[in-house]
Amino acid sequence: MQEELGDEGLQVVAVAVDEDPEEVRPWVEEAGATFPVLIDRDRRIVERYGIVNVPTVVWIDEQDRIVRPNDVAFGSDLFFDFHGIDSTPHHEALERWVRTGALELTDEEVRARQMVPTAEEQEARLAFRVALHLLRTDRAEAAAPHLARAAELSPRDWTIRRAALPLTGIDPFVSEEFIALYEELQAAGGEYYPPRPAEET
Amino acid sequence: MAEASAIIDEDGTTHEVRAHPTADGTDLLVPADELREALGWELRDVGLCRGDTCIPTGVVDDLVVDGRVAVARLLSLVDQPTVVDAEAGVLAVGVHAGERSRRLASLEAPELAGVPTLDGGEVALADLRGKRKLLVAFASW
């Protein structure tokens, strides 16, 4: 995408919501990425932008204004079978914006669609940061109640719930714990990815 | 009695401080000068101040004890969310949900600086001024 639209002025900025840059490096090198990849281990960018899941995209214009809010969309169809969301509408809209400057949403519509945090979600981020600190200083046992509290306060924040799995040595993709988590969310009537607002043409 | 403790500020930066738990184990007592270093709160004659905000210490019991500040107590007085594990010596303070929501609703893109890139550098929004930017948050998990 950066290659395709980079010549037309698009600047991709990737933010890895990960603890360890070395977990991210192979993906980035394989993709041949030439854009900056921020390693958000202290969860600063996700808090500043109100990001609760990945992948999430935000469009920022030339004057550093948000013109498409924190939203779930995909750079490729890699996970199509799993999430059932087609990346094509986002890609087409992105091309239009880059090439012509055309935007689908007015400022008011952007605001209406923004995910903004509740008090519980802000507290969850803090509990998670406390847990991260304790994990990094080899106090996993002390971290556990804070991870649990974070998940309890913000059950839809997948940057917390899913990130907590590998931090405690559990494989997030194939483990029973992850499957249980997914089933729990389904049972609660939620979706793995929050539903997208209707695409406007 | 003070032990190596950590205050994680609202932007996620960890500051090491010497602190000890309060008697009831719900808060951390941090020396005033270390608190100033970590969170910018300063002990003055009028009270504990940060920018234009001052908390008169004379009227709040047990806020400042022997030059040490009860940090979670202070932060609750100014309505900042806090999570504290006094026993483990860790406190994290955050941005109030209403404040974060307000900033997001302004549609001004939050800063990108202060987070290292994969090649060890940093990127500020200003570095990318004049470009249409696609921010993509992703993860290995």
Side-chain angles (χ1 to χ4, degrees), chain A residues 126-200:
Chain A
L126 301 182
F128 190 73
R129 280 180 179 167
V130 169
L132 273 182
H133 178 79
L134 291 168
L135 285 166
R136 289 171 187 170
T137 51
D138 294 316
R139 290 179 282 177
E141 217 178 294
H146 296 290
L147 282 175
R149 180 91 181 116
E152 189 180 53
L153 285 167
S154 192
R156 300 275 169 116
D157 187 331
W158 284 77
T159 67
I160 285 173
R161 299 197 73 187
R162 209 165 154 198
L165 294 176
L167 289 178
T168 50
I170 299 167
D171 185 323
F173 285 105
V174 303
S175 68
E176 286 176 16
E177 285 84 355
F178 174 65
I179 292 164
L181 204 59
Y182 181 55
E183 285 174 354
E184 179 201 315
L185 194 63
Q186 295 256 286
E191 302 189 11
Y192 179 62
Y193 296 106
R196 301 187 64 245
E199 185 75 356
E200 291 182 333

Side-chain angles (χ1 to χ4, degrees), chain B residues 30-53:
Chain B
V30 176
D33 59 338
E34 295 194 47
L35 181 64
R36 187 185 63 241
E37 272 294 312
L39 298 180
W41 285 92
E42 215 172 12
L43 192 53
R44 301 184 203 154
D45 289 340
V46 296
L48 268 167
C49 303
R50 186 191 190 203
D52 292 334
T53 307

Side-chain angles (χ1 to χ4, degrees), chain B residues 99-113:
Chain B
E99 175 63 20
R100 176 54 69 208
S101 300
R102 191 190 63 77
R103 292 189 210 171
L104 284 170
S106 75
L107 303 187
E108 288 169 28
E111 182 53 75
L112 298 173

Side-chain angles (χ1 to χ4, degrees), chain B residues 68-79:
Chain B
R68 292 192 186 87
V69 182
V71 185
R73 184 95 191 282
L74 168 64
L75 296 166
S76 76
L77 288 169
V78 292
D79 216 12

Side-chain angles (χ1 to χ4, degrees), chain A residues 1 9-18 21 25 36-39 42 44 47-49 54-62 64-66 97-98 101 107 110-111 114 116-119 122 126 129-130 133 139 146 158-159 162 173, chain B residues 6 8-14 81-85 88 90-97 100-101 104-118 123 125-126 128-141:
Chain A
M1 216 188 327
L10 178 69
Q11 174 67 60
V12 174
V13 178
V15 178
V17 188
D18 262 296
R25 199 180 300 277
V37 180
L38 278 57
I39 308 297
D42 296 328
R44 299 169 202 259
E47 195 278 321
R48 292 176 199 169
Y49 280 82
V54 292
T56 293
V57 298
V58 179
W59 296 6
I60 301 164
D61 75 7
E62 301 92 314
D64 299 340
R65 303 256 311 152
I66 294 171
W97 176 50
V98 175
D107 281 358
V110 172
R111 281 190 190 95
Q114 261 185 335
V116 291
T118 62
Q122 287 302 86
L126 301 182
R129 280 180 179 167
V130 169
H133 178 79
R139 290 179 282 177
H146 296 290
W158 284 77
T159 67
R162 209 165 154 198
F173 285 105
Chain B
I8 306 165
D9 70 24
E10 59 184 50
D11 195 44
T13 301
T14 302
T82 306
V83 168
V84 54
D85 187 329
V90 189
L91 181 148
V93 57
V95 175
H96 189 275
R100 176 54 69 208
S101 300
L104 284 170
S106 75
L107 303 187
E108 288 169 28
E111 182 53 75
L112 298 173
V115 177
T117 62
L118 197 55
V123 176
L125 262 188
L128 308 173
R129 180 70 51 75
K131 297 201 155 199
R132 289 177 183 146
K133 299 168 275 284
L134 177 72
L135 186 85
V136 183
F138 75 107
S140 65
W141 42 266

Side-chain angles (χ1 to χ4, degrees), chain A residues 19-76:
Chain A
E19 183 70 3
D20 182 1
E22 300 319 308
E23 290 287 315
V24 175
R25 199 180 300 277
W27 289 49
V28 171
E29 284 176 359
E30 196 183 308
T34 55
F35 44 81
V37 180
L38 278 57
I39 308 297
D40 196 18
R41 42 182 334 247
D42 296 328
R43 306 298 194 270
R44 299 169 202 259
I45 305 292
V46 293
E47 195 278 321
R48 292 176 199 169
Y49 280 82
I51 290 169
V52 297
N53 198 354
V54 292
T56 293
V57 298
V58 179
W59 296 6
I60 301 164
D61 75 7
E62 301 92 314
Q63 284 80 45
D64 299 340
R65 303 256 311 152
I66 294 171
V67 293
R68 188 180 175 113
N70 48 9
D71 188 9
V72 178
F74 304 92
S76 75

